[in-house]
Amino acid sequence: MFPFRAFRFLAPLIREQRPIFAIGVVLILLTSLSQVAVPRLVGLAIQKLESGIGVDLIGPIALAMVGAVLIRGLTSFWTRETVIASSRRIEKKLRDQLYEHISGLDGSFYSKTHTGDLMSRFTSDIEAVRMVFGPAVMYSVQTAFTLIFALSMMIQIDWQLTLYSLIPLGFLTVAIRVIGPKVHRESMRAQEMLSGISVHSQENFANAPVIKAFVVEDAEVERMQRLSHDYFRQNLRIARLRAISGSAMWLFGDLALVTLLLIGGMRILQGDLGLGDFATFNGCQLLLIWPMIALGWVMNLFHRGAASAERLQAILDAKPLVDDSRATGLTAVQKGSVEFQNVSFRYPEGEVPALENVSFDLPPGGTLGIVGVTASGKSSLLNLIPRLSPATSGLVLIDGKPIEEYPLKVLRDSISMVPQEPFLFSATIAENIAFGVGDASEEQVRAVARLVRIDQEIDKFPNGYEQRVGERGITLSGGQKQRIAIARAILQKPRILLLDDVLSAVDSETETSILEGLKDWTRDLTALIVTHRLSAVTHADEILVLDGGKVIERGTHSELLEKKGKYSELWRKQTIESELEDLE
Amino acid sequence: MTSKKTAEKNKEKDDAEDFYVEEVIDRPFSRELAGRLMRYLRPYKGLVLLSVMLILTNTALSLIGPLLIKEAVDGPLALPTEETESRELTGIGQLITDLGEGAGLSPIAVGSSIDERTQWLWVLVGIYAFTLLIQILMRYGETMVLNRTGQNVMRDLRLQIFDHLQKQSASFYHKNPVGRLVTRVTSDVEALNELFTSGFVTLVGDILAITGIVIMLFWTNAELASMVLATAPLLLISTTIFRRFARKHYREVRRRLAHLNAFTQESISGMEVIQVCRREEEQAQQYSGINGKLQDAHLKSIFWYALFFPTVELLSVVALGIIVVQGGERIEMGTATFGEFFLFWTYLTRLFTPVRDLAEKYNLLQSAMASSERIFTVLDTDTTFAEVDSKSEPATNSEQDSLDEIRFENVSFSYDGETPVLEDVSFSVKRGETLAIVGATGAGKSTIINLLLRFHDPVGGRLLVNGEDIREHSLEEHRRRFGLVLQDVSVMTRSLGENIRFDRDISRQRISEALEQVNGTEIVERQKLGLDEPMMERGRTLSSGERQLISFARALAGDPEVLVLDEATSHVDTETEAKIQEAIDRMVEGRTSVIVAHRLSTVRKADRILVLHHGHLRESGTHDELVEKGGIYARLVKLQFQSR
Ligand SMILES: Nc1ncnc2c1ncn2[C@@H]1O[C@H](COP(=O)(O)OP(=O)(O)OP(=O)(O)O)[C@@H](O)[C@H]1O
Ligand SMILES: Nc1ncnc2c1ncn2[C@@H]1O[C@H](COP(=O)(O)OP(=O)(O)OP(=O)(O)O)[C@@H](O)[C@H]1O
Ligand SMILES: [Mg+2]
Ligand SMILES: [Mg+2]
């Protein structure tokens, strides 16, 4: 009935809370006991009244009732304070754990996971699991105890009558068992539909300008209409199930009272049962109806929680392709040479290899230019160096040692990478620049801003360096975003610098002046520069021309020009020599 | 110094929170809001009426059970020795007696035999079972009707919000994080769903039940009832106190939660940067800190819930104690019966359940109110432009007109009203011309595009289309003329083909053609399912150049009058770009284009090149003219084409 297995992976977290849960169980036991005492006392009072013996005991009996409830109040207060609080603690730890885990996952995970989906695991799934360890545990234990105590008391008074009144309650449990899983299944589908609605709106709002520009708002609304309508129908389907189970619960709950009235009444008439005991029975049944109804709800919580736990476990089980399993005790990258030996790479879902047999050897302080047509594998190549993805075959060496031998932390500490599309946090400009280092002084931030020639623009903003940049840096121009990303990278003072087409949104004047400024800063750095503008790599020690993942030409700028191959053709296109002559 | 710095840091942190943490509205119930919500029920009047009737009868029927037990205890079950013979029959009792006698039963008397009494018992049980049966059917109906109403309202509201949000201007989107807007369409609407389907019953049903029970109690035994209800003020006080604190903590919890979610979302989007920068630990610590604050807020609110429920329980038992003592005394004196005692007992249990329920549902109500206020705030914010000048009928006119000229006339613009971005910019593009805009980064090139497509209206000056102010044109018609490629990625999670078709009426044939024109057939070949290959969020599994080519194909596929390219090929190699250029040139003679590019080889052949500098138009002319002139453009040419 309870899908416990799904929660097994939470054992360590639960173990920590075990003593508190134990206290909680004892408290619930006391709660249930004092709860059952009330109908007993009422029955006693009626017995006294009916027989006319010991009527003066009524006052004390009433006091005892209040006393029982006082105890019960205290215990149930502490139950909540212990059990529910524990569930919140488990929730927090679980969430921390999940966050830490996804921080360690790499591209192989993120390239197939939708942000909205991952978010829903952090919100609704964790909450569903929390509900299991809080209310669900609390109510189910309480129901169990109440049932045991009430039943043992009822059996003591009249076991036959107990049996009769149990029949409707039995039906109730059957109904829950039959309908519960259905509700569960349908709810899961509704959940998915809702997440579809959420993904659709997310993309719509994020791409608002394009949608407006193409004037397809109506089509988008129509799409939404379809999604909403499916969701509407699904919810009605669930409502029907809930309506059936809900009315069944009321039916069986009240049916128990009817049975009591009939069978109990007949036994009274036969003189087998006193009115006082009848009252006790009545009270016990009143006590049981609510927990039984609650049980249906609790079962629901368990099923939902189990489904959510499985979803969480799927994330926690995801292993990064890249880890420290082969790391040795290397503590730093000393010189920073980079060597590729026959490296090939294929994306897990990719049809064709993104890189094939790429080799090069870049000495410390050297500069490698990488050029090539779109989708030739340039970004994929750069991603291999900080191990954002692992090479499929071949070796990537830094200072002669395979990069797997460096602990990830050491490796990435010595590498800075500026991705092709810069990502900015919705923080201030200063925070964005200093993101890579814990404690940058204002002067340092200003210094790198000057290097990438963005200092004057920043000074013009109303709040200067404290200007907030909006989601993904939406309030900045394309070139501004790129330059902030570069500033962030060089502030980290890496040994190896990877630039992926990073000045594509910057005009040539600014570009030249940035490259000029960076020269001093990067003199001792090993640099790998991907670009479509050949002028940015003319000074490189070696230039690779990629096509379809293979190196088709290599050499220095002048060597390549002499070859009269792809590179020289590109160069000619970009420079239009005739016009250069005009200028001179 | 450090303390000052930390203080500043803290302030920053608060600011960071403010960006995400929306005004938390803690109004538990506002008549105005409720009234506005009710308006959404209007189209479903019939359903609402039906549900109210169902709730009403259901509540009434549910009150009958205890009465029947009372009748049984006082009637057939009363011991033969009892002297309660002369009891007056009221309401139900009378009805039952009539019913029984009609069936040929003789009234209960001291000397009634066990058989007679059993028959009476059967009558009572029969009635009980019958009301139960009706109740079941009604309850089923009630749940269905309520859900149908609720779901209908939800769907209407969701579509209204979505529709409304989509119409908002670009600046609205700059101010509101996407996540927040998504919340409006999803969880805020869901919160209302709860209100309509279960909250509504609880509210109406429980209030009805409470009233009904109180009336019944007074009717049965006014004296006893008034004594029992003496606990009511205490109940009221404790509920008020509870509500006060629950509200306070609710507010805190929501605040923390919003912050935590925003942080999570951003971390997920920026994970690669976090990893490359090795900030995982710091981020996790920060996360744990925010998470901890949320936990604290939760823990604090537990206290009040833990306190409230036992208090209600205690009060209910105190009331029961009063019945036991006072009722007992009266039974002794003969002014009350055992049946009445049972009735009071059962009713009391039923009275306190809704009170507890109400508290349980209080959170629900509260979040529903908060959600509806947020929803209405959004619906009340209207940043759409006043679209069409009502005097003319331009929508039809402009349909026929082809676009002959676009003119910027002394246009000035600023995003925040403070920093000028464009100042006094004037130029024009004629049909068939290619206009290129160059200039340093941040000069305002993309801003010109934004104005051209009317994402914003200029602060000063105006835009003319065919000599008429564009504000007098239909926004839709205006935008339909353009095929736009934006600087930022815009690949969405739908199939590759759908990304190009983009909800327009475009054949598969044309899609393939457009892909060919942008030299992108290879992209399709590389996918397992070809054009039907589903794309990931933001086109994550494509190279940057491929993403741009897809956006480009999207713009071309619609055969627009004006092609607007904002750095459309910045990540694409020169060779591919040249091929695209050739294809476009072949495609339509006389297509108008506006091109923003840093790569001068892209803009060289343009009919006119505008050079923008710090928001001012500094030079304008053909490539050759500008090179001749020896100004900014000539310097750029020299820099870009000279080998170092
Ligand atoms: N939504 C916005 N809110 C406030 N300021 C903005 C916004 N968008 C752009 N800006 C500012 O306006 C100025 C011009 O930006 P714009 O995007 O037009 O530049 P651009 O010429 O396209 O530059 P680039 O070549 O780098 O893309 C910049 O200083 C930028 O910071
Ligand atoms: N996450 C991924 N999953 C599957 N395939 C991918 C993924 N990322 C890139 N690819 C594919 O790998 C190939 C190489 O992509 P890569 O990004 O390395 O190209 P690139 O040379 O950087 O191109 P560009 O000049 O456009 O930036 C492309 O065909 C691309 O579609
Ligand atoms: Mg790339
Ligand atoms: Mg721009």
Side-chain angles (χ1 to χ4, degrees):
Chain A
M1 189 138 90
F2 296 105
F4 285 119
R5 194 168 309 151
F7 302 103
R8 205 177 284 158
F9 75 101
L10 293 171
L13 287 182
I14 300 168
R15 209 165 296 138
E16 271 173 38
Q17 303 291 330
R18 209 159 40 185
I20 300 181
F21 274 126
I23 295 173
V25 168
V26 173
L27 287 170
I28 294 174
L29 189 116
L30 291 175
T31 312
S32 306
L33 255 182
S34 47
Q35 198 174 19
V36 175
V38 173
R40 177 80 261 197
L41 288 167
V42 174
L44 212 64
I46 292 189
Q47 211 177 349
K48 300 268 182 274
L49 286 171
E50 198 185 12
S51 58
I53 309 164
V55 176
D56 47 336
L57 284 179
I58 297 275
I61 287 178
L63 276 184
M65 272 164 54
V66 175
V69 169
L70 269 180
I71 295 175
R72 171 159 182 229
L74 280 178
T75 53
S76 78
F77 174 81
W78 284 110
T79 309
R80 269 175 189 273
E81 284 273 303
T82 49
V83 177
I84 305 282
S86 283
S87 75
R88 288 291 179 199
R89 290 199 185 92
I90 290 178
E91 176 195 10
K92 164 164 195 280
K93 295 229 170 80
L94 183 57
R95 213 186 262 134
D96 277 349
Q97 193 184 335
L98 198 63
Y99 186 89
E100 250 173 71
H101 184 78
I102 65 157
S103 322
L105 293 178
D106 53 31
S108 61
F109 172 81
Y110 285 101
S111 68
K112 53 177 195 275
T113 313
H114 201 286
T115 313
D117 182 46
L118 201 48
M119 273 308 285
S120 75
R121 303 197 194 215
F122 269 92
T123 51
S124 37
D125 285 330
I126 286 202
E127 174 65 10
V129 169
R130 204 261 328 161
M131 290 294 268
V132 169
F133 291 103
V137 163
M138 187 170 83
Y139 283 120
S140 54
V141 173
Q142 189 166 350
T143 305
F145 279 138
T146 311
L147 198 67
I148 292 170
F149 291 137
L151 280 185
S152 48
M153 199 158 70
M154 284 157 78
I155 289 172
Q156 215 182 2
I157 295 170
D158 190 329
W159 67 270
Q160 278 170 321
L161 188 54
T162 313
L163 219 60
Y164 280 120
S165 25
L166 270 184
I167 293 171
L169 291 184
F171 276 126
L172 189 64
T173 354
V174 173
I176 291 169
R177 283 204 66 173
V178 173
I179 296 179
K182 279 206 187 107
V183 173
H184 169 66
R185 233 185 357 256
E186 300 292 330
S187 313
M188 288 304 282
R189 276 186 49 200
Q191 207 57 41
E192 273 162 32
M193 289 182 173
L194 182 63
S195 131
I197 288 179
S198 150
V199 167
H200 179 63
S201 7
Q202 154 128 27
E203 288 220 305
N204 246 277
F205 301 147
N207 289 301
V210 197
I211 287 170
K212 282 179 201 308
F214 285 89
V215 203
V216 290
E217 288 101 331
D218 289 346
E220 293 299 309
V221 170
E222 234 166 69
R223 231 174 244 253
M224 186 62 161
Q225 243 156 8
R226 270 200 306 278
L227 290 174
S228 296
H229 194 71
D230 289 348
Y231 184 56
F232 168 82
R233 284 225 306 270
Q234 181 65 14
N235 271 329
L236 284 191
R237 213 166 289 147
I238 296 170
R240 185 162 312 124
L241 289 175
R242 289 242 167 90
I244 292 173
S245 66
S247 27
M249 279 172 204
W250 283 102
L251 175 71
F252 295 129
D254 270 13
L255 218 52
L257 286 180
V258 176
T259 322
L260 173 68
L261 184 59
L262 182 67
I263 312 285
M266 296 221 263
R267 295 180 82 79
I268 291 180
L269 289 179
Q270 280 151 13
D272 293 345
L273 188 73
L275 196 57
D277 286 340
F278 179 80
T280 310
F281 252 89
N282 187 39
C284 284
Q285 300 232 325
L286 285 180
L287 267 190
L288 284 181
I289 289 174
W290 161 241
M292 280 300 166
I293 290 175
L295 202 61
W297 178 64
V298 168
M299 288 292 304
N300 224 358
L301 290 187
F302 267 109
H303 279 292
R304 269 198 55 192
S308 291
E310 279 163 26
R311 279 160 60 84
L312 293 180
Q313 199 179 2
I315 302 280
L316 289 173
D317 282 350
K319 291 269 174 302
L321 290 178
V322 169
D323 57 24
D324 274 343
S325 57
R326 286 174 55 199
T328 59
L330 293 172
T331 51
V333 171
Q334 296 299 342
K335 300 204 225 45
S337 75
V338 180
E339 187 183 353
F340 271 48
Q341 289 180 357
N342 283 323
V343 173
S344 295
F345 174 66
R346 175 202 285 270
Y347 286 98
E349 313 83 26
E351 279 282 85
V352 284
L355 290 175
E356 278 179 86
N357 283 327
V358 175
S359 303
F360 63 83
D361 189 359
L362 185 64
T367 300
L368 180 75
I370 304 169
V371 300
V373 297
T374 283
S376 53
K378 304 181 292 297
S379 304
S380 308
L381 191 157
L382 286 195
N383 283 345
L384 295 181
I385 299 170
R387 296 183 73 200
L388 289 176
S389 342
T392 315
S393 67
L395 276 183
V396 180
L397 308 159
I398 287 182
D399 289 345
K401 299 194 186 70
I403 46 173
E404 291 82 11
E405 288 183 12
Y406 292 91
L408 266 180
K409 178 153 181 50
V410 172
L411 182 74
R412 289 182 183 163
D413 266 346
S414 55
I415 299 175
S416 279
M417 171 159 162
V418 186
Q420 201 163 7
E421 268 141 36
F423 181 89
L424 299 196
F425 294 90
S426 59
T428 65
I429 291 180
E431 280 167 340
N432 265 302
I433 293 180
F435 183 76
V437 290
D439 44 354
S441 70
E442 214 175 300
E443 293 75 51
Q444 284 171 313
V445 170
R446 278 176 192 279
V448 289
R450 210 169 304 126
L451 270 180
V452 299
R453 306 287 180 257
I454 198 176
D455 50 328
Q456 288 171 4
E457 277 157 86
I458 295 177
D459 285 334
K460 269 191 220 140
F461 290 137
N463 301 319
Y465 284 80
E466 298 307 312
Q467 179 91 359
R468 305 194 70 81
V469 299
E471 223 176 12
R472 284 180 180 263
I474 199 168
T475 58
L476 296 176
S477 84
Q480 286 166 344
K481 279 186 263 192
Q482 281 192 332
R483 282 174 290 158
I484 289 176
I486 301 173
R488 176 194 290 162
I490 59 178
L491 185 58
Q492 294 169 50
K493 302 210 179 71
R495 295 251 16 101
I496 302 168
L497 183 65
L498 312 176
L499 302 177
D500 192 352
D501 202 8
V502 292
L503 292 169
S504 64
V506 171
D507 59 289
S508 33
E509 186 166 18
T510 317
E511 180 188 14
T512 317
S513 126
I514 291 175
L515 291 176
E516 207 56 47
L518 283 184
K519 237 178 212 160
D520 278 344
W521 187 281
T522 59
R523 181 151 298 142
D524 315 322
L525 293 188
T526 313
L528 284 88
I529 302 177
V530 169
T531 185
H532 286 300
R533 276 191 228 160
L534 304 187
S535 55
V537 286
T538 46
H539 65 286
D541 301 308
E542 186 175 21
I543 301 171
L544 302 184
V545 185
L546 288 184
D547 196 355
K550 295 189 206 76
V551 180
I552 53 166
E553 279 174 38
R554 66 195 315 155
T556 61
H557 176 68
S558 44
E559 282 165 12
L560 285 169
L561 282 186
E562 258 158 49
K563 256 186 207 162
K564 299 261 182 272
K566 192 94 179 178
Y567 184 87
S568 70
E569 194 187 320
L570 279 177
W571 177 255
R572 210 172 40 78
K573 276 208 180 92
Q574 283 189 11
T575 49
I576 322 141
E577 284 133 327
S578 58
E579 265 146 356
L580 258 181
E581 280 157 20
D582 284 355
L583 278 174
E584 275 147 17
Chain B
M1 178 229 134
T2 38
S3 74
K4 191 178 162 236
K5 197 153 185 196
T6 41
E8 263 169 28
K9 261 256 151 56
N10 282 340
K11 201 191 144 282
E12 274 167 31
K13 285 277 140 53
D14 282 346
D15 284 349
E17 268 181 46
D18 287 345
F19 181 69
Y20 288 113
V21 179
E22 13 192 337
E23 358 47 80
V24 179
I25 301 128
D26 57 344
R27 222 180 292 170
F29 192 80
S30 132
R31 194 167 298 164
E32 188 194 335
L33 280 179
R36 238 179 120 170
L37 278 177
M38 288 306 142
R39 242 174 278 160
Y40 285 89
L41 287 173
R42 232 178 255 162
Y44 309 104
K45 257 185 235 146
L47 284 177
V48 173
L49 211 68
L50 189 62
S51 66
V52 170
M53 267 161 49
L54 284 172
I55 294 175
L56 216 74
T57 31
N58 247 333
T59 313
L61 282 178
S62 72
L63 293 182
I64 292 181
L67 270 178
L68 290 171
I69 295 182
K70 165 187 177 285
E71 288 306 320
V73 171
D74 281 350
L77 296 187
L79 290 189
T81 49
E82 201 67 47
E83 292 158 42
T84 47
E85 219 20 62
S86 56
R87 69 200 185 91
E88 280 169 42
L89 289 176
T90 50
I92 294 266
Q94 185 64 51
L95 205 78
I96 292 164
T97 317
D98 290 348
L99 220 100
E101 280 168 3
L105 295 180
S106 49
I108 301 280
V110 182
S112 299
S113 73
I114 289 188
D115 272 355
E116 276 171 329
R117 285 168 187 269
T118 313
Q119 276 169 344
W120 274 105
L121 192 60
W122 272 106
V123 170
L124 290 170
V125 169
I127 299 174
Y128 201 160
F130 180 67
T131 57
L132 264 187
L133 200 71
I134 299 178
Q135 265 192 74
I136 300 312
L137 295 177
M138 300 245 270
R139 224 169 253 286
Y140 177 82
E142 177 191 300
T143 317
M144 287 311 289
V145 170
L146 278 170
N147 268 288
R148 185 165 282 273
T149 324
Q151 292 296 336
N152 267 314
V153 173
M154 289 316 100
R155 191 187 47 187
D156 296 351
L157 198 59
R158 197 191 311 275
L159 285 174
Q160 192 194 351
I161 303 167
F162 185 78
D163 194 39
H164 177 84
L165 284 178
Q166 262 211 334
K167 290 210 186 83
Q168 298 313 301
S169 72
S171 52
F172 177 83
Y173 283 99
H174 293 167
K175 277 187 228 118
N176 291 284
V178 171
R180 185 188 296 175
L181 300 180
V182 173
T183 313
R184 295 296 166 275
V185 181
T186 54
S187 29
D188 278 342
V189 173
E190 287 302 300
L192 286 182
N193 182 19
E194 299 272 318
L195 175 72
F196 277 105
T197 48
S198 56
F200 191 56
V201 201
T202 322
L203 260 184
V204 178
D206 286 356
I207 291 171
L208 277 176
I210 292 174
T211 332
I213 288 172
V214 170
I215 292 174
M216 290 306 254
L217 287 183
F218 271 96
W219 191 19
T220 317
N221 194 327
E223 210 182 348
L224 214 49
S226 48
M227 261 184 265
V228 171
L229 290 179
T231 51
L234 281 176
L235 198 62
L236 218 65
I237 292 171
S238 55
T239 316
T240 320
I241 295 177
F242 164 73
R243 274 205 329 224
R244 254 256 294 296
F245 286 97
R247 194 187 307 174
K248 197 179 115 199
H249 291 294
Y250 171 77
R251 189 188 175 122
E252 184 69 9
V253 165
R254 265 213 68 109
R255 223 180 118 77
R256 300 290 174 207
L257 195 62
H259 190 193
L260 190 75
N261 285 345
F263 191 90
T264 317
Q265 165 121 33
E266 195 159 45
S267 300
I268 295 173
S269 316
M271 192 53 82
E272 199 176 287
V273 175
I274 295 175
Q275 289 177 347
V276 173
C277 292
R278 285 304 303 177
R279 306 300 292 173
E280 294 102 323
E281 260 166 51
E282 285 82 354
Q283 291 285 111
Q285 257 168 28
Q286 221 175 323
Y287 184 81
S288 184
I290 304 169
N291 199 0
K293 279 189 194 150
L294 175 66
Q295 179 195 283
D296 290 346
H298 274 311
L299 292 183
K300 272 189 206 129
S301 72
I302 293 174
F303 176 81
W304 294 100
Y305 282 89
L307 197 63
F308 178 69
F309 291 109
T311 311
V312 173
E313 200 77 31
L314 184 65
L315 287 176
S316 84
V317 171
V318 167
L320 191 58
I322 294 175
I323 304 176
V324 170
V325 175
Q326 295 294 329
E329 232 168 63
R330 282 178 178 69
I331 291 177
E332 284 291 281
M333 294 182 326
T335 51
T337 64
F338 277 113
E340 283 170 12
F341 182 91
F342 268 90
L343 184 78
F344 266 77
W345 186 16
T346 329
Y347 273 165
L348 266 187
T349 335
R350 298 232 161 149
L351 183 68
F352 281 92
T353 316
V355 171
R356 209 170 66 167
D357 243 29
L358 273 178
E360 196 86 78
K361 295 269 148 101
Y362 183 72
N363 248 350
L364 210 141
L365 187 66
Q366 202 169 23
S367 59
M369 280 299 147
S371 290
S372 59
E373 178 138 14
R374 282 196 297 269
I375 287 174
F376 290 139
T377 314
V378 159
L379 287 180
D380 290 343
T381 321
D382 197 358
T383 57
T384 48
F385 302 115
E387 218 185 69
V388 187
D389 196 18
S390 50
K391 285 174 289 185
S392 55
E393 284 273 307
T396 45
N397 285 348
S398 56
E399 181 89 283
Q400 294 142 3
D401 284 2
S402 60
L403 185 109
D404 293 326
E405 189 199 28
I406 307 171
R407 175 184 291 280
F408 272 56
E409 217 175 65
N410 307 100
V411 169
S412 302
F413 184 73
S414 160
Y415 285 99
D416 53 9
E418 255 180 88
T419 342
V421 174
L422 292 180
E423 280 177 276
D424 203 20
V425 172
S426 303
F427 65 89
S428 76
V429 208
K430 297 224 167 48
R431 189 142 72 114
E433 267 188 347
T434 298
L435 178 80
I437 308 173
V438 300
T441 105
K445 302 179 295 298
S446 301
T447 308
I448 289 191
I449 304 284
N450 286 341
L451 294 181
L452 187 61
L453 273 120
R454 223 178 151 212
F455 290 142
H456 303 275
D457 272 338
V459 175
R462 54 188 191 148
L463 266 75
L464 304 173
V465 168
N466 294 347
E468 292 172 47
D469 194 319
I470 59 167
R471 275 170 281 208
E472 285 166 18
H473 279 72
S474 143
L475 193 58
E476 279 193 13
E477 291 305 329
H478 176 69
R479 284 185 186 156
R480 261 189 232 286
R481 299 174 186 277
F482 297 90
L484 173 72
V485 184
L486 279 173
Q487 202 168 3
D488 291 325
V489 207
S490 57
V491 175
M492 318 211 319
T493 44
R494 35 183 90 170
S495 75
L496 179 55
E498 280 299 309
N499 257 300
I500 296 170
R501 201 175 76 86
F502 215 59
D503 290 328
R504 293 165 301 172
D505 194 13
I506 289 170
S507 68
R508 233 178 135 83
Q509 163 83 22
R510 182 73 192 97
I511 291 176
S512 309
E513 245 172 56
L515 266 169
E516 220 166 284
Q517 278 158 350
V518 300
N519 217 33
T521 25
E522 269 175 51
I523 306 177
V524 186
E525 281 158 17
R526 271 193 290 263
Q527 314 298 329
K528 281 194 193 95
L529 303 176
L531 274 182
D532 296 321
E533 178 82 11
M535 295 285 101
M536 282 305 299
E537 194 180 11
R538 309 187 123 246
R540 220 179 278 166
T541 55
L542 297 171
S543 88
S544 307
E546 289 174 324
R547 284 192 281 256
Q548 286 190 329
L549 294 184
I550 289 174
S551 304
F552 209 139
R554 175 189 296 161
L556 285 184
D559 288 315
E561 274 182 82
V562 187
L563 202 54
V564 180
L565 310 174
D566 189 356
E567 295 285 0
T569 48
S570 60
H571 292 307
V572 176
D573 56 293
T574 330
E575 205 179 18
T576 311
E577 196 194 344
K579 284 187 196 151
I580 298 174
Q581 198 53 53
E582 277 167 36
I584 296 175
D585 287 346
R586 270 200 313 272
M587 223 167 82
V588 180
E589 282 299 298
R591 181 195 301 282
T592 320
S593 327
V594 177
I595 300 173
V596 172
H598 288 302
R599 217 184 278 165
L600 299 184
S601 53
T602 317
V603 305
R604 232 182 87 243
K605 289 197 196 124
D607 296 310
R608 196 133 31 89
I609 299 170
L610 304 180
V611 182
L612 211 61
H613 194 72
H614 292 309
H616 294 273
L617 190 59
R618 292 287 282 271
E619 293 169 21
S620 144
T622 65
H623 176 78
D624 292 336
E625 285 166 18
L626 290 179
V627 167
E628 194 85 358
K629 199 169 158 190
I632 301 177
Y633 184 78
R635 200 163 72 233
L636 287 176
V637 170
K638 199 165 176 185
L639 277 168
Q640 204 168 103
F641 294 154
Q642 116 195 0
S643 43
R644 266 153 289 160

